């Protein structure tokens, strides 16, 4: 399993290097308060990484809140059963 993960990681790193090399020309971004000139490949990889991180964060928060809600319901159900027992 580790070998497959390592091979996939190397494949994506090689793809990123190729993407950066083929898109080396500079493009400008006007952010309103600053102007930035970055290589097109770096901008693409940065946006890809940002999207990956935000997507993972969104998925993690969704799972975490669902588990928290289920745990509260379970604790509430256990608490009501315990209070009914003489």
């Amino acid at each position: 399993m580790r070998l497959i993960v390592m091979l996939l990681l190397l494949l994506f790193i090689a793809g990123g290097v190729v993407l950066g090399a083929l898109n080396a020309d500079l493009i400008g971004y006007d952010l309103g308060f600053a102007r930035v000139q970055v290589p097109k490949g770096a901008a693409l990889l940065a946006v890809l990484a940002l999207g990956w991180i935000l997507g993972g964060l969104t998925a993690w928060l969704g799972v975490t809140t669902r588990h928290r809600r289920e745990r509260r319901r379970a604790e509430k159900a256990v608490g009501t059963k315990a209070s009914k027992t003489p």
Side-chain angles (χ1 to χ4, degrees):
M1 186 68 177
R2 284 187 183 177
L3 179 63
I4 293 171
V5 171
M6 292 300 289
L7 289 174
L8 279 172
L9 183 62
L10 288 174
L11 178 71
F12 280 105
I13 289 172
V17 168
V18 169
L19 183 74
L22 292 176
N23 293 297
D25 50 332
L26 292 177
I27 55 173
Y29 291 104
D30 186 5
L31 303 173
F33 57 87
R35 296 190 79 152
V36 181
Q37 295 268 339
V38 294
K40 196 184 299 183
L44 288 170
L45 289 175
V47 170
L48 178 70
L50 181 65
W52 182 70
I53 289 170
L54 290 176
L57 182 64
T58 302
W60 178 72
L61 286 173
V63 169
T64 302
T65 54
R66 188 183 79 215
H67 284 306
R68 196 176 302 142
R69 187 172 50 244
E70 288 174 358
R71 188 173 57 231
R72 271 192 240 126
R73 285 182 188 158
E75 288 173 356
K76 192 175 189 181
V78 169
T80 57
K81 288 179 185 177
S83 65
K84 290 181 180 180
T85 307

Coordinates of all heavy atoms in Angstrom, one line a residue:
M1 N 0.8 -1.2 0.0 CA 0.0 0.0 0.0 C 0.9 1.3 0.0 O 0.6 2.2 -0.7 CB -0.9 -0.1 1.2 CG -1.9 1.0 1.3 SD -3.1 0.8 -0.1 CE -4.2 2.1 0.3
R2 N 1.9 1.2 0.8 CA 2.8 2.4 0.9 C 3.5 2.6 -0.5 O 3.7 3.8 -0.9 CB 3.9 2.2 1.9 CG 3.3 2.4 3.3 CD 4.5 2.4 4.3 NE 4.0 2.5 5.6 CZ 4.7 2.5 6.7 NH1 6.0 2.2 6.6 NH2 4.2 2.6 7.9
L3 N 3.8 1.6 -1.2 CA 4.5 1.7 -2.5 C 3.5 2.4 -3.5 O 4.0 3.3 -4.2 CB 4.9 0.3 -3.0 CG 5.6 0.3 -4.4 CD1 6.9 1.0 -4.3 CD2 5.8 -1.1 -4.8
I4 N 2.3 2.0 -3.5 CA 1.3 2.6 -4.4 C 1.2 4.1 -4.0 O 1.1 5.0 -5.0 CB -0.1 1.9 -4.3 CG1 0.1 0.5 -4.8 CG2 -1.1 2.7 -5.1 CD1 -1.1 -0.4 -4.6
V5 N 1.1 4.5 -2.8 CA 1.0 5.9 -2.4 C 2.2 6.6 -2.8 O 2.1 7.8 -3.3 CB 0.7 6.0 -0.8 CG1 0.8 7.4 -0.4 CG2 -0.6 5.4 -0.5
M6 N 3.4 6.1 -2.6 CA 4.6 6.7 -3.0 C 4.7 6.9 -4.5 O 5.1 8.0 -5.0 CB 5.8 5.9 -2.5 CG 6.0 6.0 -1.0 SD 6.2 7.6 -0.3 CE 7.8 8.0 -0.9
L7 N 4.3 5.9 -5.3 CA 4.3 6.1 -6.7 C 3.3 7.1 -7.2 O 3.6 7.9 -8.1 CB 3.9 4.7 -7.4 CG 5.0 3.7 -7.3 CD1 4.5 2.3 -7.8 CD2 6.3 4.1 -8.0
L8 N 2.1 7.2 -6.6 CA 1.1 8.2 -6.9 C 1.7 9.6 -6.6 O 1.5 10.6 -7.3 CB -0.2 8.0 -6.2 CG -1.1 7.0 -6.8 CD1 -2.3 6.7 -5.9 CD2 -1.6 7.4 -8.2
L9 N 2.3 9.7 -5.4 CA 2.9 11.0 -5.0 C 4.0 11.4 -6.0 O 4.0 12.6 -6.4 CB 3.5 10.9 -3.6 CG 4.1 12.1 -3.0 CD1 3.0 13.2 -2.8 CD2 4.7 11.8 -1.7
L10 N 4.8 10.5 -6.4 CA 5.9 10.9 -7.4 C 5.3 11.2 -8.7 O 5.8 12.1 -9.4 CB 6.8 9.7 -7.5 CG 7.8 9.5 -6.3 CD1 8.6 8.2 -6.6 CD2 8.7 10.6 -6.2
L11 N 4.2 10.6 -9.1 CA 3.5 10.9 -10.3 C 3.0 12.3 -10.3 O 3.1 13.1 -11.3 CB 2.4 9.9 -10.6 CG 1.6 10.1 -11.8 CD1 2.4 9.8 -13.1 CD2 0.3 9.3 -11.8
F12 N 2.3 12.7 -9.2 CA 1.8 14.0 -9.1 C 2.9 15.1 -9.0 O 2.7 16.2 -9.5 CB 0.8 14.1 -7.9 CG -0.6 13.6 -8.2 CD1 -0.9 12.3 -7.7 CD2 -1.4 14.2 -9.0 CE1 -2.2 11.8 -8.0 CE2 -2.7 13.7 -9.4 CZ -3.0 12.5 -8.8
I13 N 4.0 14.8 -8.3 CA 5.1 15.7 -8.3 C 5.7 15.9 -9.7 O 5.9 17.1 -10.1 CB 6.2 15.2 -7.3 CG1 5.6 15.4 -5.9 CG2 7.5 16.0 -7.5 CD1 6.5 14.7 -4.8
A14 N 5.8 14.8 -10.4 CA 6.3 15.0 -11.8 C 5.4 15.8 -12.7 O 5.8 16.6 -13.5 CB 6.6 13.6 -12.4
G15 N 4.1 15.5 -12.5 CA 3.1 16.3 -13.2 C 3.1 17.8 -12.9 O 3.0 18.6 -13.8
G16 N 3.4 18.1 -11.6 CA 3.5 19.5 -11.2 C 4.7 20.1 -11.8 O 4.7 21.3 -12.2
V17 N 5.8 19.4 -11.8 CA 7.0 19.9 -12.4 C 6.8 20.2 -13.9 O 7.2 21.3 -14.4 CB 8.2 19.0 -12.2 CG1 9.4 19.4 -13.0 CG2 8.6 18.9 -10.7
V18 N 6.2 19.3 -14.6 CA 5.9 19.4 -16.0 C 5.0 20.6 -16.3 O 5.2 21.4 -17.2 CB 5.4 18.1 -16.6 CG1 4.8 18.4 -18.1 CG2 6.4 17.1 -16.6
L19 N 4.0 20.7 -15.5 CA 3.0 21.8 -15.6 C 3.7 23.2 -15.4 O 3.5 24.1 -16.1 CB 1.9 21.6 -14.5 CG 0.8 22.7 -14.6 CD1 -0.1 22.5 -15.8 CD2 0.0 22.6 -13.3
G20 N 4.6 23.2 -14.4 CA 5.3 24.5 -14.1 C 6.3 24.8 -15.2 O 6.4 26.0 -15.6
A21 N 6.9 23.8 -15.8 CA 7.9 24.1 -16.8 C 7.2 24.5 -18.1 O 7.7 25.3 -18.9 CB 8.7 22.8 -17.1
L22 N 6.1 23.9 -18.4 CA 5.4 24.3 -19.7 C 4.6 25.6 -19.6 O 4.3 26.2 -20.6 CB 4.4 23.2 -20.1 CG 5.1 21.8 -20.5 CD1 4.0 20.8 -20.8 CD2 5.9 22.0 -21.7
N23 N 4.4 26.1 -18.4 CA 3.7 27.4 -18.2 C 4.6 28.3 -17.4 O 4.2 28.8 -16.4 CB 2.4 27.1 -17.4 CG 1.4 26.3 -18.2 OD1 1.0 26.7 -19.3 ND2 1.1 25.1 -17.8
A24 N 5.7 28.6 -18.0 CA 6.7 29.5 -17.3 C 6.5 31.0 -17.5 O 7.1 31.8 -16.8 CB 8.1 29.1 -17.7
D25 N 5.7 31.4 -18.5 CA 5.5 32.8 -18.7 C 4.8 33.5 -17.6 O 3.9 32.9 -16.9 CB 4.8 33.0 -20.0 CG 3.5 32.2 -20.2 OD1 3.4 31.2 -19.6 OD2 2.6 32.7 -20.9
L26 N 5.1 34.7 -17.3 CA 4.5 35.5 -16.2 C 3.1 36.0 -16.6 O 2.9 36.5 -17.7 CB 5.4 36.7 -15.8 CG 6.8 36.3 -15.2 CD1 7.6 37.6 -15.0 CD2 6.6 35.6 -13.9
I27 N 2.3 36.0 -15.6 CA 1.0 36.6 -15.7 C 0.8 37.6 -14.5 O 1.3 37.3 -13.4 CB -0.2 35.6 -15.8 CG1 -0.2 34.7 -14.6 CG2 -0.1 34.8 -17.1 CD1 -1.4 33.8 -14.5
G28 N 0.0 38.6 -14.7 CA -0.2 39.6 -13.7 C -1.5 39.5 -13.0 O -2.5 39.3 -13.7
Y29 N -1.6 39.7 -11.7 CA -2.8 39.7 -11.0 C -2.9 41.0 -10.3 O -2.0 41.5 -9.6 CB -2.9 38.6 -9.9 CG -3.0 37.2 -10.5 CD1 -1.9 36.4 -10.6 CD2 -4.2 36.8 -11.0 CE1 -2.0 35.1 -11.1 CE2 -4.3 35.5 -11.6 CZ -3.2 34.7 -11.6 OH -3.3 33.4 -12.2
D30 N -4.1 41.7 -10.4 CA -4.3 42.9 -9.7 C -5.3 42.6 -8.6 O -6.4 42.3 -8.8 CB -4.9 44.0 -10.6 CG -5.1 45.3 -10.0 OD1 -4.6 45.5 -8.9 OD2 -5.6 46.2 -10.6
L31 N -4.7 42.7 -7.3 CA -5.5 42.3 -6.2 C -6.2 43.5 -5.5 O -6.8 43.4 -4.5 CB -4.6 41.6 -5.1 CG -3.9 40.4 -5.6 CD1 -2.9 39.9 -4.6 CD2 -4.9 39.3 -6.0
G32 N -6.2 44.6 -6.1 CA -6.8 45.8 -5.6 C -5.8 46.6 -4.8 O -5.8 47.9 -4.9
F33 N -5.1 46.0 -3.9 CA -4.1 46.7 -3.1 C -2.7 46.4 -3.5 O -1.8 47.1 -3.0 CB -4.3 46.3 -1.6 CG -4.3 44.8 -1.3 CD1 -3.0 44.2 -1.1 CD2 -5.4 44.1 -1.3 CE1 -3.0 42.9 -0.9 CE2 -5.3 42.7 -1.1 CZ -4.1 42.1 -0.9
A34 N -2.5 45.5 -4.4 CA -1.2 45.1 -4.8 C -1.3 44.5 -6.2 O -2.3 43.9 -6.6 CB -0.5 44.2 -3.9
R35 N -0.2 44.6 -7.0 CA -0.1 43.9 -8.3 C 1.0 42.8 -8.1 O 2.0 43.1 -7.6 CB 0.3 44.9 -9.4 CG -0.8 45.9 -9.6 CD -0.5 46.7 -10.8 NE -1.0 45.8 -11.9 CZ -1.4 46.2 -13.1 NH1 -1.3 47.5 -13.3 NH2 -1.8 45.4 -14.0
V36 N 0.7 41.6 -8.6 CA 1.6 40.5 -8.4 C 1.8 39.9 -9.8 O 0.9 39.7 -10.6 CB 0.9 39.4 -7.5 CG1 1.9 38.3 -7.3 CG2 0.6 40.0 -6.2
Q37 N 3.1 39.6 -10.1 CA 3.5 38.9 -11.3 C 4.0 37.6 -10.9 O 5.0 37.5 -10.2 CB 4.6 39.7 -12.0 CG 4.1 41.0 -12.6 CD 3.7 40.9 -14.0 OE1 4.0 40.0 -14.7 NE2 2.8 41.9 -14.4
V38 N 3.4 36.5 -11.3 CA 3.8 35.1 -11.0 C 3.8 34.3 -12.2 O 3.0 34.6 -13.2 CB 2.9 34.5 -9.9 CG1 3.1 35.2 -8.6 CG2 1.5 34.5 -10.3
P39 N 4.6 33.2 -12.3 CA 4.5 32.3 -13.4 C 3.2 31.6 -13.4 O 2.6 31.3 -12.4 CB 5.6 31.3 -13.1 CG 6.5 32.0 -12.2 CD 5.7 32.9 -11.4
K40 N 2.7 31.3 -14.6 CA 1.4 30.7 -14.8 C 1.3 29.4 -14.1 O 0.3 29.0 -13.5 CB 1.1 30.6 -16.3 CG -0.4 30.3 -16.6 CD -0.6 30.1 -18.1 CE -0.3 31.3 -18.9 NZ -0.6 31.1 -20.3
G41 N 2.4 28.6 -14.2 CA 2.4 27.2 -13.6 C 2.3 27.3 -12.1 O 1.6 26.5 -11.5
A42 N 3.0 28.3 -11.5 CA 2.9 28.5 -10.0 C 1.5 28.9 -9.6 O 1.0 28.4 -8.6 CB 4.0 29.5 -9.6
A43 N 0.9 29.8 -10.4 CA -0.4 30.2 -10.0 C -1.4 29.0 -10.1 O -2.3 28.9 -9.2 CB -0.9 31.3 -11.0
L44 N -1.3 28.2 -11.2 CA -2.2 27.1 -11.3 C -2.0 26.1 -10.1 O -3.0 25.6 -9.6 CB -1.9 26.4 -12.6 CG -2.4 27.1 -13.9 CD1 -1.9 26.4 -15.1 CD2 -3.9 27.1 -13.9
L45 N -0.7 25.8 -9.8 CA -0.5 24.9 -8.7 C -0.9 25.4 -7.4 O -1.5 24.7 -6.5 CB 1.0 24.5 -8.6 CG 1.5 23.6 -9.8 CD1 3.0 23.4 -9.7 CD2 0.8 22.3 -9.8
A46 N -0.8 26.7 -7.1 CA -1.2 27.4 -5.9 C -2.7 27.3 -5.7 O -3.2 27.0 -4.7 CB -0.7 28.8 -5.8
V47 N -3.4 27.6 -6.8 CA -4.9 27.5 -6.8 C -5.4 26.1 -6.6 O -6.3 25.8 -5.9 CB -5.5 28.2 -8.0 CG1 -7.0 27.9 -8.2 CG2 -5.2 29.6 -8.0
L48 N -4.7 25.1 -7.2 CA -5.0 23.7 -7.1 C -4.8 23.3 -5.6 O -5.7 22.6 -5.0 CB -4.2 22.8 -8.0 CG -4.4 21.3 -7.9 CD1 -5.8 21.0 -8.4 CD2 -3.3 20.6 -8.6
A49 N -3.7 23.7 -5.0 CA -3.5 23.3 -3.6 C -4.5 24.0 -2.7 O -5.0 23.4 -1.7 CB -2.0 23.7 -3.3
L50 N -4.8 25.2 -3.0 CA -5.8 26.0 -2.1 C -7.1 25.3 -2.2 O -7.8 25.1 -1.2 CB -5.9 27.4 -2.6 CG -6.8 28.3 -1.8 CD1 -6.3 28.4 -0.4 CD2 -7.0 29.6 -2.4
G51 N -7.6 24.9 -3.4 CA -8.8 24.2 -3.6 C -8.8 22.9 -2.9 O -9.8 22.5 -2.3
W52 N -7.7 22.1 -2.9 CA -7.6 20.8 -2.3 C -7.7 21.0 -0.8 O -8.4 20.3 -0.1 CB -6.3 20.2 -2.7 CG -6.0 18.9 -2.1 CD1 -6.7 17.7 -2.4 CD2 -5.1 18.6 -1.1 NE1 -6.1 16.7 -1.7 CE2 -5.2 17.2 -0.8 CE3 -4.2 19.3 -0.4 CZ2 -4.4 16.5 0.1 CZ3 -3.4 18.6 0.6 CH2 -3.5 17.3 0.8
I53 N -7.0 22.0 -0.2 CA -7.1 22.3 1.2 C -8.5 22.7 1.7 O -9.0 22.2 2.7 CB -6.0 23.3 1.6 CG1 -4.6 22.7 1.5 CG2 -6.2 23.9 3.0 CD1 -3.5 23.7 1.6
L54 N -9.1 23.6 0.9 CA -10.4 24.1 1.3 C -11.5 23.0 1.2 O -12.4 22.9 2.0 CB -10.8 25.3 0.4 CG -10.1 26.6 0.7 CD1 -10.5 27.7 -0.2 CD2 -10.3 27.0 2.2
G55 N -11.3 22.1 0.1 CA -12.2 21.0 0.0 C -12.1 20.0 1.1 O -13.1 19.5 1.7
G56 N -10.8 19.7 1.5 CA -10.6 18.8 2.6 C -11.1 19.4 4.0 O -11.7 18.7 4.8
L57 N -10.9 20.7 4.1 CA -11.4 21.3 5.4 C -12.9 21.3 5.4 O -13.5 21.0 6.5 CB -10.9 22.8 5.4 CG -11.3 23.6 6.6 CD1 -10.7 23.0 7.9 CD2 -10.9 25.1 6.4
T58 N -13.6 21.5 4.3 CA -15.0 21.5 4.3 C -15.5 20.1 4.6 O -16.5 19.9 5.3 CB -15.5 21.9 2.9 OG1 -15.1 23.2 2.6 CG2 -17.0 21.9 2.8
A59 N -14.9 19.1 4.0 CA -15.3 17.7 4.3 C -15.1 17.3 5.7 O -15.9 16.7 6.4 CB -14.5 16.7 3.3
W60 N -13.9 17.7 6.3 CA -13.6 17.4 7.7 C -14.6 18.1 8.6 O -15.1 17.5 9.6 CB -12.2 17.9 8.0 CG -11.8 17.7 9.4 CD1 -11.6 16.5 10.0 CD2 -11.7 18.7 10.4 NE1 -11.3 16.7 11.3 CE2 -11.3 18.0 11.6 CE3 -11.8 20.1 10.4 CZ2 -11.1 18.7 12.8 CZ3 -11.6 20.8 11.6 CH2 -11.3 20.1 12.7
L61 N -15.0 19.4 8.4 CA -15.9 20.1 9.2 C -17.3 19.4 9.1 O -18.0 19.3 10.1 CB -16.0 21.5 8.8 CG -14.8 22.4 9.3 CD1 -14.9 23.8 8.7 CD2 -14.7 22.4 10.8
G62 N -17.7 19.0 7.9 CA -19.0 18.3 7.8 C -19.1 17.0 8.5 O -20.1 16.7 9.2
V63 N -18.0 16.2 8.5 CA -18.0 15.0 9.2 C -17.9 15.2 10.7 O -18.6 14.6 11.5 CB -16.8 14.1 8.8 CG1 -16.6 12.9 9.7 CG2 -17.0 13.6 7.4
T64 N -17.1 16.2 11.1 CA -17.0 16.5 12.6 C -18.3 17.0 13.2 O -18.7 16.5 14.2 CB -15.9 17.6 12.8 OG1 -14.7 17.1 12.2 CG2 -15.7 17.9 14.2
T65 N -19.0 17.9 12.5 CA -20.3 18.4 13.0 C -21.3 17.3 13.1 O -22.1 17.2 14.0 CB -20.8 19.6 12.2 OG1 -20.9 19.2 10.9 CG2 -19.9 20.8 12.4
R66 N -21.3 16.4 12.1 CA -22.3 15.3 12.1 C -22.0 14.3 13.3 O -22.9 13.9 14.0 CB -22.2 14.5 10.8 CG -23.4 13.5 10.7 CD -23.3 12.7 9.4 NE -22.3 11.6 9.7 CZ -21.5 11.2 8.7 NH1 -21.5 11.6 7.5 NH2 -20.6 10.3 9.0
H67 N -20.7 14.0 13.5 CA -20.4 13.1 14.6 C -20.7 13.8 16.0 O -21.2 13.1 16.9 CB -18.9 12.8 14.6 CG -18.5 11.8 13.6 ND1 -19.2 10.6 13.5 CD2 -17.6 11.8 12.6 CE1 -18.6 9.9 12.5 NE2 -17.7 10.6 11.9
R68 N -20.5 15.1 16.1 CA -20.8 15.8 17.3 C -22.3 15.7 17.6 O -22.7 15.5 18.7 CB -20.3 17.2 17.2 CG -20.2 17.9 18.5 CD -19.6 19.3 18.4 NE -18.3 19.3 17.8 CZ -17.8 20.1 17.0 NH1 -18.5 21.2 16.6 NH2 -16.6 20.0 16.5
R69 N -23.1 16.0 16.5 CA -24.5 16.0 16.7 C -25.0 14.6 17.0 O -25.9 14.4 17.9 CB -25.2 16.4 15.3 CG -26.7 16.6 15.4 CD -27.2 17.2 14.1 NE -26.8 16.6 12.9 CZ -26.0 17.1 12.0 NH1 -25.6 18.4 12.1 NH2 -25.7 16.4 10.9
E70 N -24.5 13.5 16.4 CA -24.9 12.1 16.7 C -24.5 11.8 18.2 O -25.2 11.1 18.9 CB -24.2 11.2 15.7 CG -24.8 11.2 14.4 CD -24.1 10.4 13.4 OE1 -23.1 9.7 13.7 OE2 -24.5 10.3 12.2
R71 N -23.3 12.2 18.6 CA -22.9 12.0 20.0 C -23.8 12.6 21.0 O -24.1 12.0 22.0 CB -21.4 12.4 20.1 CG -20.8 12.0 21.5 CD -19.3 12.3 21.6 NE -19.1 13.7 21.4 CZ -18.2 14.2 20.6 NH1 -17.5 13.4 19.8 NH2 -18.0 15.5 20.5
R72 N -24.2 13.9 20.7 CA -25.1 14.5 21.6 C -26.5 13.8 21.7 O -27.0 13.6 22.8 CB -25.4 16.0 21.2 CG -24.4 16.9 21.7 CD -24.8 18.4 21.5 NE -23.8 19.0 20.7 CZ -23.9 19.7 19.6 NH1 -25.1 19.8 19.0 NH2 -22.9 20.2 19.0
R73 N -27.0 13.3 20.6 CA -28.2 12.6 20.6 C -28.1 11.3 21.3 O -29.0 10.9 22.1 CB -28.6 12.3 19.1 CG -29.2 13.4 18.4 CD -29.6 13.0 17.0 NE -30.0 14.2 16.2 CZ -30.1 14.2 14.9 NH1 -29.7 13.2 14.2 NH2 -30.4 15.3 14.3
A74 N -26.9 10.6 21.2 CA -26.7 9.4 21.9 C -26.6 9.6 23.4 O -27.2 8.8 24.2 CB -25.4 8.7 21.4
E75 N -25.9 10.7 23.8 CA -25.8 11.0 25.2 C -27.1 11.4 25.8 O -27.5 11.0 26.9 CB -24.8 12.1 25.4 CG -23.3 11.7 25.2 CD -22.4 12.9 25.2 OE1 -22.8 14.0 25.4 OE2 -21.2 12.6 25.1
K76 N -27.9 12.1 25.0 CA -29.3 12.5 25.5 C -30.1 11.2 25.7 O -30.9 11.1 26.6 CB -29.9 13.4 24.5 CG -31.1 14.1 24.9 CD -31.5 15.1 23.9 CE -32.6 16.0 24.4 NZ -33.1 17.0 23.3
A77 N -30.1 10.3 24.7 CA -30.9 9.1 24.8 C -30.4 8.2 26.0 O -31.2 7.7 26.7 CB -30.7 8.2 23.5
V78 N -29.1 8.1 26.3 CA -28.6 7.4 27.4 C -29.1 8.1 28.7 O -29.4 7.4 29.7 CB -27.1 7.2 27.4 CG1 -26.5 6.7 28.7 CG2 -26.7 6.3 26.2
G79 N -29.0 9.4 28.7 CA -29.4 10.2 29.9 C -30.9 10.0 30.2 O -31.3 9.9 31.4
T80 N -31.7 10.0 29.2 CA -33.2 9.8 29.5 C -33.5 8.4 29.9 O -34.3 8.2 30.8 CB -34.0 10.1 28.2 OG1 -33.6 9.3 27.1 CG2 -33.9 11.6 27.9
K81 N -32.8 7.4 29.4 CA -33.0 6.0 29.9 C -32.5 5.8 31.3 O -33.1 5.1 32.1 CB -32.2 5.0 29.0 CG -32.8 4.8 27.6 CD -32.0 3.9 26.8 CE -32.5 3.8 25.4 NZ -31.6 2.9 24.5
A82 N -31.4 6.5 31.7 CA -30.9 6.4 33.0 C -31.8 7.0 34.1 O -32.0 6.6 35.2 CB -29.5 7.0 33.1
S83 N -32.5 8.1 33.7 CA -33.4 8.8 34.6 C -34.7 8.1 34.8 O -35.3 8.2 35.8 CB -33.6 10.2 34.1 OG -34.3 10.2 32.9
K84 N -35.1 7.2 33.8 CA -36.3 6.4 33.9 C -36.1 5.2 34.8 O -37.0 4.6 35.3 CB -36.8 6.0 32.6 CG -37.3 7.2 31.7 CD -37.8 6.7 30.4 CE -38.4 7.8 29.6 NZ -38.9 7.4 28.3
T85 N -34.9 4.7 34.9 CA -34.6 3.5 35.7 C -34.7 3.9 37.2 O -34.0 4.8 37.7 CB -33.2 3.0 35.4 OG1 -33.1 2.8 34.0 CG2 -33.0 1.6 36.0
P86 N -35.4 3.1 38.0 CA -35.6 3.4 39.5 C -34.4 3.1 40.3 O -33.5 2.4 40.1 CB -36.7 2.5 39.9 CG -37.0 1.6 38.9 CD -36.3 2.0 37.6

